[in-house]
């Protein structure tokens, strides 16, 4: 019985692999990885946010002689949002900065994705209430604008 379940899961998994994860926004592009990284950082700034963090394994792997596709997480936020979120929920600030994820595809193009701020802050609404929900909605719009600017 377990073997049949495992086989059924393997057969279904590829169909799920093409679907975005719940709470994620995904933008396929024709841009190269390097171009999309540059454009995402510029779009963050152009839309009133700040690149707070950057992390990815690609360069460190290359330094070890390992080649992997481009992969970078870009954390974006600003102090205005930080102060406003803290006024509603101290615990919610663990989620800041909210991250964009740039990944290189096998065909040389790149994808920009992120968890929507509403999804990220949803677990804290019990504490932050409607005010936190409103901030997350503002950030949803801001992150959508960043993504649309970056992928143009």
């Amino acid at each position: 019985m377990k073997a049949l379940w495992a086989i059924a899961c393997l057969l279904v998994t590829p169909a799920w692999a093409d679907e975005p994860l719940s709470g994620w926004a995904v933008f396929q592009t024709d841009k190269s990885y390097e171009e999309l990284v540059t454009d995402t950082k510029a779009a963050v700034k152009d839309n009133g946010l700040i690149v707070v963090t950057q992390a990815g394994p690609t360069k460190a792997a290359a330094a070890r002689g390992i080649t992997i596709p481009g992969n970078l997480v870009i954390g974006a936020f600003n102090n205005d949002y930080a102060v406003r979120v803290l006024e509603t929920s101290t615990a919610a600030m663990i989620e800041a900065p909210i991250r964009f994820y740039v990944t290189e595809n096998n065909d040389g193009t790149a994808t920009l994705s992120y968890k929507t701020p509403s999804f990220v802050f949803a677990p804290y609404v019990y504490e932050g209430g409607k005010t936190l929900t409103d901030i997350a909605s503002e950030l949803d719009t801001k992150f959508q604008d960043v993504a649309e600017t970056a992928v143009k």
Side-chain angles (χ1 to χ4, degrees):
M1 185 66 168
K2 287 182 184 178
L4 289 175
W5 176 249
I7 291 169
C9 287
L10 288 173
L11 293 174
V12 173
T13 299
W16 292 343
D18 293 335
E19 295 294 321
L21 297 170
S22 177
W24 285 65
V26 179
F27 297 81
Q28 304 292 339
T29 75
D30 292 329
K31 294 184 177 191
S32 71
Y33 169 75
E34 293 81 9
E35 184 181 13
L36 186 56
V37 166
T38 299
D39 290 351
T40 300
K41 290 178 188 178
V44 166
K45 183 178 179 183
D46 291 347
N47 283 279
L49 297 173
I50 298 166
V51 173
V52 179
T53 60
Q54 298 179 68
T58 308
K59 290 182 181 178
R64 296 176 43 226
I66 302 168
T67 302
I68 62 172
N71 187 296
L72 185 67
V73 175
I74 301 169
F77 220 60
N78 71 25
N79 188 258
D80 177 60
Y81 284 113
V83 170
R84 291 172 59 204
V85 168
L86 279 169
E87 289 172 348
T88 70
S89 169
T90 301
M93 272 304 292
I94 190 78
E95 304 297 346
I98 300 173
R99 298 166 309 273
F100 289 97
Y101 190 31
V102 182
T103 52
E104 185 176 22
N105 302 318
N106 291 334
D107 65 359
T109 63
T111 300
L112 177 63
S113 56
Y114 61 92
K115 291 181 187 178
T116 63
S118 290
F119 181 78
V120 170
F121 286 126
Y124 309 96
V125 170
Y126 73 93
E127 182 180 24
K130 181 174 178 350
T131 304
L132 182 58
T133 300
D134 292 345
I135 294 167
S137 291
E138 283 178 44
L139 284 165
D140 284 344
T141 300
K142 180 98 35 194
F143 270 61
Q144 178 78 25
D145 291 347
V146 168
E148 289 177 359
T149 301
V151 302
K152 281 184 188 174

